[in-house]
Amino acid sequence: MPKISERGIQMPSSPIRKLAPLSDSAKARGLKVYHLNIGQPDLPTPQAGLDALKNIDRTILEYSPSDGYRSYREKLVGYYAKYNINVSADEIIITTGGSEAVLFAFLACLNPGDEIIVPEPAYANYMAFAVSAGAIIRPVSSTIEEGFALPPIEKFEELINERTKGIMICNPNNPTGYLYSRAEMNQIKKLIQKYDLYLFSDEVYREFIYTGSPYVSACHLVGIEENVVLIDSVSKRYSECGIRIGALISKNKELLKAVMKFCQARLSPPLIGQIVAEASLDADPDYLRDTYEEYVERRKFLIDRLNMIPGVYSPIPMGAFYTVVKLPVDDADKFCEWCLSDFEYEGQTIFMAPASGFYTTPGLGKNEVRMAYVLNKEDLGNALTVLEKALEAYNTLEK
Amino acid sequence: MPKISERGIQMPSSPIRKLAPLSDSAKARGLKVYHLNIGQPDLPTPQAGLDALKNIDRTILEYSPSDGYRSYREKLVGYYAKYNINVSADEIIITTGGSEAVLFAFLACLNPGDEIIVPEPAYANYMAFAVSAGAIIRPVSSTIEEGFALPPIEKFEELINERTKGIMICNPNNPTGYLYSRAEMNQIKKLIQKYDLYLFSDEVYREFIYTGSPYVSACHLVGIEENVVLIDSVSKRYSECGIRIGALISKNKELLKAVMKFCQARLSPPLIGQIVAEASLDADPDYLRDTYEEYVERRKFLIDRLNMIPGVYSPIPMGAFYTVVKLPVDDADKFCEWCLSDFEYEGQTIFMAPASGFYTTPGLGKNEVRMAYVLNKEDLGNALTVLEKALEAYNTLEK
């Protein structure tokens, strides 16, 4: 039997999805499982998107252009303009989810052995895409005590060497919900400029910012326009995770040309998803407002209740719909597994993502989990009751 | 400005799509362009698939499982059984098109510098996916004179060294339409067995076989079950290129586990595409029969007429819906460009794929093009008239 590749071995298992078989078993035993593990909103897709889906009257579901339909890209220009992001349709490449945008960005920019610096905890799949490209993630740790603020910029600079090709950020941040301030973004900009690095900026949660602070996009940073690679996706914005429509945006023509070759190789992004995504840009303004207000309420509800549970602590996330929570357990991986495999409270249990999978540095995040507040308040309330009961039972068990 | 990666430079441009801007310009000038370049069938998607699309009544377009919906995978088991391919639902991973299946197979099986042997001309994007994985394609040339039969197996064996990890075939073949015989498949099997290699077998055209010869799948080869990686896609079978639904099939548990990590990183294959693909398995038997008979007629029509044009030669393709054609020109790349940029006949021109892009060996296929017979006979007839006129004009021009 031939061997699998080194990268096939190195690829991390998804911290979000690796416990899914335990969750399936729990459901098979008749338990109600509250999914706090995955950013799958329970909110509806905009009616405009669903209507477009219903109204497709094509008889051939054919390839679309490798960079996506021009009509969609042109309409996106207007969407970005609302956020003062000034791009043309030719600077937007439609991808199969934000995931493919990250993968293609890494493949097009990074040689095997090249390094990118990423503040951790970070979206776990950046690591997976780096491994796919043979690149190395050098983490700079942010801490729950500092509310997951950008670590001192000197920590980034210390890691820069001749193999360093870029910095990757997620803003607002998944998994922490942190929003980088203008001052922090300017510190990053100076470093990018000083060492002529790429700035990969994943900004798929820009709709979900809950503080008075401004959204500072990497595209707002003057002087590093050619260095910025913006990663985007409609998944979260419109509750359309399944249509797999994202985008890679850049003003760097060489980079766009290289990315296009990867796009041509996989022929085209999903046709139907593009139709839905394009129509969703016309979503009723009430839709986005209602969605936003719903998350505002859930966030307050979740964080307030979490911090009332003895030994539990969560900083206040400023954006996205996640938070990283410290639990009074020694090993959150084991605790999350145990919740699914050995615990139930009144026929219910909870599925959380162990935070260790969001850190590259071994040993960090051992007593932290990521929670997504993508459930309605009633379910969130039940999930928190289950968590409280589970912590009591688990810690009794351990003693 | 930071540099793009070596692989970003090495990535080949798609021979199928790289002339698209010239075609767009021709259309902008008001010309009718006949697309012989791309395997985008003009035949309809099955009604069962279109109905399923219309009947989607979800309010949330959510993620699907990373390996695809179980209901779809279970239904595929029955589909493969009809071809005597014996697989379980757990041995099928749903991918974003056949493209992703090839990419993930290479990422999971090949280390940078590893080699795979591929008979050429070959589907051009294998090269792109190999470059993405840092792997090297070692070509063995088949020739138009031999009707693109499998080259002598000794030619494969000569290339085998300690970096060789597999052989990749496409059967029935894109771009040549060749169907490997039982004897040829057994030769491949013996080599796979002798050197314990992977056999990557792309069999997306199994519905389109026009000779009395049997379809011998890599999955039929006894004794190398753990070595075979089957690549599949619904794109061509159901005229559903745009839904981006493919599959990777293997009996090798280690391999499936590694591939699943790449699947989890990109979260899920397209949701809506899976719904359409699953429903399409219930397509009216008349649909597949009519489609098949249509291609039978087009094939005869195209090949007969091609071989009547002075200096033009095409062997008879036994499967798929492509053929590689020798043209009386010195440089088919230039001729294909010229047809789009400088020629028209009665307001029409043709878009063909230069065959050089399907060869890895430099210089081969210089006077060959790939044609897809995915147009109706009237359009095919017009395209062939344009080709004949274009050849006359081009060869006058050259003198």
Side-chain angles (χ1 to χ4, degrees), chain A residues 252-296:
Chain A
N252 181 326
K253 287 199 169 46
E254 282 303 301
L255 171 64
L256 289 169
K257 218 174 103 186
V259 170
M260 264 305 282
K261 293 195 281 183
F262 292 93
C263 290
Q264 288 185 341
R266 62 78 165 116
L267 306 168
S268 73
L271 160 74
I272 303 169
Q274 287 179 80
I275 294 170
V276 173
E278 182 172 338
S280 299
L281 286 168
D282 293 324
D284 191 322
D286 286 354
Y287 169 85
L288 280 173
R289 202 201 51 213
D290 291 351
T291 301
Y292 177 82
E293 288 177 358
E294 177 68 23
Y295 284 124
V296 168

Side-chain angles (χ1 to χ4, degrees), chain B residues 113-382:
Chain B
D114 280 354
E115 300 181 0
I116 50 172
I117 304 174
V118 184
E120 66 177 355
Y123 180 58
N125 291 323
Y126 298 155
M127 171 63 97
F129 300 127
V131 170
S132 299
I136 295 158
I137 285 189
R138 301 290 306 272
V140 175
S141 305
S142 69
T143 66
I144 197 166
E145 290 76 18
E146 300 285 336
F148 298 113
L150 191 76
I153 202 74
E154 300 73 40
K155 297 279 181 194
F156 288 75
E157 195 157 11
E158 280 165 19
L159 293 180
I160 293 177
N161 63 62
E162 72 283 356
R163 298 311 305 260
T164 309
K165 288 289 283 289
I167 294 174
M168 170 121 211
I169 59 171
C170 180
N171 187 37
N173 191 270
N174 172 7
T176 67
Y178 191 80
L179 177 75
Y180 295 118
S181 68
R182 190 179 301 280
E184 288 170 329
M185 289 299 283
N186 276 326
Q187 289 182 317
I188 293 172
K189 171 185 135 174
K190 280 185 197 144
L191 213 57
I192 294 291
Q193 226 162 6
K194 183 169 171 188
Y195 294 98
D196 197 22
L197 303 173
Y198 284 111
L199 176 55
F200 304 103
S201 190
D202 175 351
E203 302 180 7
V204 308
Y205 296 99
R206 75 174 64 79
E207 266 75 12
F208 306 116
I209 293 176
Y210 312 110
T211 78
S213 309
Y215 158 56
V216 182
S217 168
C219 295
H220 296 156
L221 303 174
V222 178
I224 59 166
E225 290 80 359
E226 300 257 310
N227 302 62
V228 168
V229 184
L230 186 71
I231 307 296
D232 209 353
S233 163
V234 300
S235 291
K236 313 298 171 161
R237 185 183 308 159
Y238 301 126
S239 199
E240 290 174 350
C241 299
I243 67 170
R244 313 309 300 129
I245 297 296
L248 181 150
I249 292 163
S250 166
K251 294 202 168 282
N252 181 327
K253 287 198 169 49
E254 281 304 300
L255 170 64
L256 289 169
K257 217 175 103 186
V259 169
M260 263 307 282
K261 292 195 282 184
F262 292 93
C263 290
Q264 288 185 340
R266 62 76 166 117
L267 306 168
S268 72
L271 160 76
I272 305 170
Q274 288 180 79
I275 295 170
V276 174
E278 182 172 337
S280 298
L281 286 168
D282 293 324
D284 193 323
D286 286 356
Y287 170 85
L288 279 172
R289 201 200 53 215
D290 291 352
T291 301
Y292 177 82
E293 287 176 359
E294 178 68 23
Y295 284 125
V296 168
E297 285 193 32
R298 290 178 183 186
R299 164 176 167 266
K300 177 164 171 51
F301 178 80
L302 175 73
I303 307 302
D304 283 353
R305 285 231 12 210
L306 276 172
N307 284 318
M308 277 166 28
I309 302 174
V312 171
Y313 170 68
S314 169
I316 302 171
M318 291 124 88
F321 40 59
Y322 308 99
T323 191
V324 172
V325 185
K326 194 162 81 176
L327 298 181
V329 296
D330 285 345
D331 187 329
D333 277 89
K334 282 190 191 154
F335 177 65
C336 292
E337 270 189 53
W338 178 86
C339 286
L340 290 167
S341 60
D342 290 293
F343 181 74
E344 68 168 284
Y345 175 71
E346 295 183 348
Q348 314 159 92
T349 193
I350 45 173
F351 189 171
M352 298 173 293
S356 59
F358 298 89
Y359 289 87
T360 306
T361 306
L364 291 187
K366 282 305 270 183
N367 60 352
E368 297 170 7
V369 296
R370 185 193 76 166
M371 291 187 190
Y373 42 102
V374 290
L375 306 179
N376 64 49
K377 275 200 286 181
E378 189 186 339
D379 284 349
L380 271 183
N382 291 339

Side-chain angles (χ1 to χ4, degrees), chain A residues 33 59 69 98 112 147 150 152 161 232 241 257 306 316 335 382:
Chain A
V33 177
T59 54
Y69 280 113
L150 192 75
N161 63 62
D232 209 353
C241 299
K257 218 174 103 186
L306 276 172
I316 302 172
F335 177 64
N382 292 339

Side-chain angles (χ1 to χ4, degrees), chain A residues 104-342:
Chain A
F104 286 180
F106 287 0
L107 287 173
C109 297
L110 308 177
N111 288 316
D114 280 354
E115 299 180 0
I116 49 173
I117 303 174
V118 184
E120 67 178 355
Y123 179 59
N125 291 322
Y126 298 156
M127 170 62 98
F129 299 128
V131 169
S132 299
I136 293 158
I137 285 190
R138 301 289 307 270
V140 175
S141 305
S142 69
T143 65
I144 197 165
E145 290 76 17
E146 299 286 334
F148 297 113
L150 192 75
I153 203 75
E154 300 74 38
K155 298 280 182 194
F156 288 76
E157 195 158 11
E158 280 166 18
L159 293 180
I160 293 177
N161 63 62
E162 72 282 355
R163 300 309 306 261
T164 309
K165 288 291 282 292
I167 293 174
M168 170 121 213
I169 59 171
C170 179
N171 187 37
N173 191 270
N174 172 6
T176 68
Y178 190 80
L179 177 75
Y180 294 118
S181 69
R182 190 179 300 281
E184 288 171 329
M185 290 300 285
N186 276 326
Q187 290 182 315
I188 293 171
K189 172 186 136 175
K190 279 184 195 146
L191 212 57
I192 293 292
Q193 226 162 6
K194 182 169 173 189
Y195 295 97
D196 197 20
L197 304 174
Y198 284 111
L199 176 55
F200 305 103
S201 189
D202 175 350
E203 303 179 6
V204 307
Y205 296 100
R206 76 175 62 80
E207 266 74 11
F208 306 116
I209 293 176
Y210 313 110
T211 80
S213 309
Y215 158 56
V216 183
S217 168
C219 296
H220 297 157
L221 303 174
V222 177
I224 59 165
E225 290 79 0
E226 301 255 310
N227 303 61
V228 169
V229 184
L230 186 70
I231 306 296
D232 209 353
S233 163
V234 300
S235 291
K236 313 296 172 161
R237 185 182 307 156
Y238 301 128
S239 200
E240 291 173 349
C241 299
I243 66 172
R244 312 310 300 132
I245 296 297
L248 181 150
I249 293 164
S250 167
K251 295 202 167 282
N252 181 326
K253 287 199 169 46
E254 282 303 301
L255 171 64
L256 289 169
K257 218 174 103 186
V259 170
M260 264 305 282
K261 293 195 281 183
F262 292 93
C263 290
Q264 288 185 341
R266 62 78 165 116
L267 306 168
S268 73
L271 160 74
I272 303 169
Q274 287 179 80
I275 294 170
V276 173
E278 182 172 338
S280 299
L281 286 168
D282 293 324
D284 191 322
D286 286 354
Y287 169 85
L288 280 173
R289 202 201 51 213
D290 291 351
T291 301
Y292 177 82
E293 288 177 358
E294 177 68 23
Y295 284 124
V296 168
E297 285 193 33
R298 290 179 183 185
R299 165 178 167 266
K300 178 164 171 50
F301 179 79
L302 175 73
I303 308 301
D304 283 352
R305 285 233 11 210
L306 276 172
N307 284 318
M308 275 166 29
I309 302 175
V312 171
Y313 171 68
S314 169
I316 302 172
M318 291 126 84
F321 40 60
Y322 307 99
T323 191
V324 171
V325 185
K326 193 162 80 176
L327 298 182
V329 295
D330 286 345
D331 186 329
D333 278 88
K334 282 190 192 156
F335 177 64
C336 291
E337 271 189 52
W338 178 85
C339 286
L340 291 167
S341 60
D342 290 291

Side-chain angles (χ1 to χ4, degrees), chain A residues 54-71:
Chain A
K54 279 263 177 262
N55 294 333
I56 292 173
D57 63 353
R58 293 167 189 240
T59 54
I60 308 179
L61 301 178
E62 75 277 12
Y63 288 124
S64 68
S66 297
D67 51 353
Y69 280 113
R70 175 157 281 276
S71 59

